[in-house]
Amino acid sequence: MSRTVPVSLPHESRPPQDEAARLRELGYQPVLARRMGGFGNFAISFSVISVLSGCMTLYSFGLVTGGPAVMMWGWIGVGAFVLCVALALAEVTSAYPTSGALFYMADRLGGRRWGWYTGWLNLLGLLGAIAGIDYGAAFFTGAFLKLQWNITPTPVLIFLIFLCILLLHALLNLFGVRLVSLLNSISVWWHLAGVAVIVGALAIVPDRHQSPGFVFTEFVNETGWANPFYVAAIGLLLAQYTFSGYDASAHLSEETANASVSAAKGIVRSVWASWIAGFLLLAGLTFAIQDYEGTVGTATGAPPAQIFLDALGADGATALLLVVIVAQLFCGNAEVAAASRMVFAFSRDNALPGSAIWRRVSARTQTPVPAVWLSVAVAAVLALPSLYSPTAYAAVTAINVIGITPAYAIPVYLRLRAKDRFVPGPWNLGRWSRPIGWIAVVWVACVTVLFCLPQRSPVTVESMNYAVVALAVVLALATVWWYVARRSYGTPQAYGSAREQAELEEGIV
């Protein structure tokens, strides 16, 4: 299929192509229901990014790792670089709109091994994200119970709440992509209204606010490290963690109308919309801090909850916590949808143990039911250490970032390496493709190294950053499994034979 490469900024001038035909060209027979529109596709990535999840759950980390100055300026800087990553990734998504997304792109542009390792990194990040998001929702639910009924949020109670949330998200995802799309659309407005309500209440109600000088220049270091540049660098984790998950638009592309354009636009729009909303949220919270040390050491376990309590009183804090918790539930539900599609797509190409099970699709809802259950089950296992270690949640967060962030850059790097061999889709960057692509690759390389570094000193079993361990374990397992599954793994060139069609239909139950 020939394509005309424009020399202007991103656009989509051509009429919508037949996405089912395009999917067959890429080697896959359509089996998922294409019932999601462009707004729904944007909504799933916006919901997964979820500033009311990432900013809130890691706000305590930001308070002691650079403080207000790093949180505010870090958000601005990281957001700008992440937007470059999103633009570059969107361009490749437009050319390869499949549920496999990153690993399929890497496979096509770099070969089977590139696809294999990209897929395992992407899968690690998506499953770690489910655990991190839903455990964060459970954590804030515990803070809500403490405020409302003075129930102490013990690790066991938080974990039980976490399991209930996982079950809820699994059940919601079994009803089909139309319900998922509806919930994500509601999620967008809930997030935007929630940020507006929180920022408005914190701006109007309290009698006292911090000064702009405090919000934008106050540096706080309680990490144990003496070097302020090192502390500021690792403090970027708050922003980088929040700005993850926008590949969800790509993973849902086989269920999106006009996906070659809609999925690309969904990725980019989700990032810049979250960039603006997150800045307003962080500024609103930080201006409203009444007692910095009291906020850091809050008995609720969630510093934003203490800010609400100090600024608005018990009733106001309870109401705003509910806003945050519902947003986090929307976020986790969207992440389960994205992760399950990745499990489905990776299994479709025989990359996972038990692939024949995980790639099955319900004939009634056209949803990959076993993949949904596997996604929430692995997330539950990943969060198990939280029962024994207070640093486990930070470790899960690091697993998410260290897995998914490199996976974003690999297809972009391979696209740059391919040069004219890459055939752009209808949404592309034109002459800006290479400069934006290289900015994205260099940024991801820097933050990947950065987030493997220890975050607390002295480095002990409790304070160690386990991201590098998780990365090494996953790469080792992926290497071992490669030698087991390498003969069966592979993205198809084209479907159409009677045998291939029969094998595909065996997966529909």
Side-chain angles (χ1 to χ4, degrees):
M1 177 182 291
S2 62
R3 292 182 173 86
T4 300
V5 183
V7 291
S8 58
L9 283 171
H11 65 87
E12 55 283 342
S13 58
R14 280 178 282 166
Q17 63 180 339
D18 184 340
E19 295 294 346
R22 177 58 182 152
L23 189 60
R24 291 187 182 94
E25 289 177 15
L26 296 174
Y28 297 112
Q29 183 71 16
V31 296
L32 301 175
R34 202 174 287 275
R35 297 170 180 164
M36 182 176 285
F39 184 81
N41 187 276
F42 148 75
I44 191 166
S45 283
F46 184 78
S47 297
V48 171
I49 293 175
S50 183
V51 295
L52 288 175
S53 179
C55 292
M56 290 293 190
T57 53
L58 280 179
Y59 193 77
S60 58
F61 175 86
L63 286 174
V64 298
T65 314
V70 172
M71 282 195 285
M72 299 308 301
W73 292 110
W75 183 268
I76 294 171
V78 170
F81 284 114
V82 170
L83 186 58
C84 290
V85 180
L87 286 164
L89 184 61
E91 180 178 55
V92 189
T93 298
S94 180
Y96 303 108
T98 71
S99 294
L102 310 182
F103 90 85
Y104 181 89
M105 302 171 197
D107 184 289
R108 277 294 185 264
L109 294 169
R112 295 172 71 234
R113 283 218 183 193
W114 279 103
W116 178 267
Y117 284 102
T118 301
W120 280 101
L121 286 171
N122 191 197
L123 187 61
L124 168 71
L126 289 168
L127 296 175
I130 296 175
I133 292 164
D134 281 1
Y135 193 84
F139 205 78
F140 271 75
T141 302
F144 173 81
L145 294 176
K146 178 70 174 178
L147 285 178
Q148 188 68 19
W149 295 292
N150 200 30
I151 297 175
T152 301
T154 64
V156 173
L157 177 60
I158 291 174
F159 193 80
L160 290 175
I161 297 171
F162 165 68
L163 293 179
C164 291
I165 293 172
L166 283 178
L167 179 61
L168 171 65
H169 287 158
L171 294 175
L172 288 174
N173 271 271
L174 297 183
F175 283 100
V177 74
R178 185 168 289 168
L179 177 61
V180 172
S181 181
L182 174 62
L183 291 174
N184 289 330
S185 297
I186 297 171
S187 171
V188 171
W189 300 113
W190 185 274
H191 274 80
L192 295 177
V195 170
V197 168
I198 290 171
V199 173
L202 293 178
I204 295 171
V205 177
D207 295 328
R208 173 182 170 272
H209 291 89
Q210 299 290 343
S211 68
F214 173 87
V215 172
F216 291 99
T217 64
E218 182 70 15
F219 183 85
V220 178
N221 177 15
E222 296 183 15
T223 65
W225 298 108
N227 190 316
F229 296 102
Y230 182 89
V231 174
I234 59 177
L236 299 178
L237 177 60
L238 184 154
Q240 186 64 51
Y241 165 70
T242 304
F243 280 118
S244 64
Y246 45 88
D247 58 313
S249 290
H251 289 295
L252 272 291
S253 58
E254 289 184 35
E255 296 159 87
T256 302
N258 193 24
S260 297
V261 170
S262 296
K265 291 170 66 176
I267 290 171
V268 177
R269 287 175 174 173
S270 66
V271 170
W272 66 252
S274 298
W275 192 15
I276 296 170
F279 178 81
L280 294 175
L281 178 63
L282 289 174
L285 285 170
T286 310
F287 271 110
I289 293 175
Q290 305 296 305
D291 175 6
Y292 201 94
E293 290 303 320
T295 299
V296 172
T298 175
T300 66
Q306 189 63 47
I307 293 173
F308 296 159
L309 189 62
D310 292 343
L312 308 174
D315 291 340
T318 301
L320 293 190
L321 270 180
L322 280 176
V323 171
V324 173
I325 291 167
V326 172
Q328 292 173 337
L329 293 177
F330 278 128
C331 174
N333 189 64
E335 185 62 33
V336 169
S340 62
R341 271 51 175 189
M342 174 59 196
V343 171
F344 159 76
F346 217 25
S347 299
R348 182 170 58 182
D349 293 329
N350 295 308
L352 295 179
S355 286
I357 298 173
W358 314 124
R359 64 172 174 249
R360 292 183 178 180
V361 176
S362 167
R364 182 175 60 85
T365 62
Q366 293 179 275
T367 300
V369 174
V372 170
W373 286 116
L374 180 65
S375 299
V376 297
V378 173
V381 172
L382 286 176
L384 269 175
S386 65
L387 288 168
Y388 311 101
S389 169
T391 61
Y393 179 72
V396 170
T397 298
I399 288 171
N400 170 32
V401 173
I402 201 63
I404 210 164
T405 304
Y408 289 159
I410 293 172
V412 177
Y413 165 72
L414 294 174
R415 177 261 177 277
L416 293 168
R417 194 181 70 167
K419 297 182 179 178
D420 293 339
R421 290 189 295 108
F422 172 74
V423 182
W427 192 101
N428 56 80
L429 298 169
R431 67 174 182 268
W432 294 97
S433 179
R434 296 191 68 79
I436 290 176
W438 280 117
I439 291 172
V441 170
V442 171
W443 170 250
V444 170
C446 290
V447 297
T448 300
V449 173
L450 180 64
F451 293 136
C452 288
L453 300 176
Q455 299 164 6
R456 294 287 184 270
S457 179
V459 179
T460 65
V461 173
E462 287 293 316
S463 66
M464 180 178 174
N465 181 357
Y466 288 95
V468 66
V469 176
L471 180 62
V473 168
V474 168
L475 292 177
L477 291 175
T479 300
V480 171
W481 188 248
W482 166 260
Y483 289 102
V484 176
R486 61 183 175 178
R487 292 181 181 175
S488 61
Y489 163 74
T491 58
Q493 295 303 313
Y495 272 110
S497 71
R499 181 181 63 81
E500 289 170 327
Q501 186 64 33
E503 289 177 351
L504 180 73
E505 290 174 350
E506 285 179 4
I508 304 177
V509 296

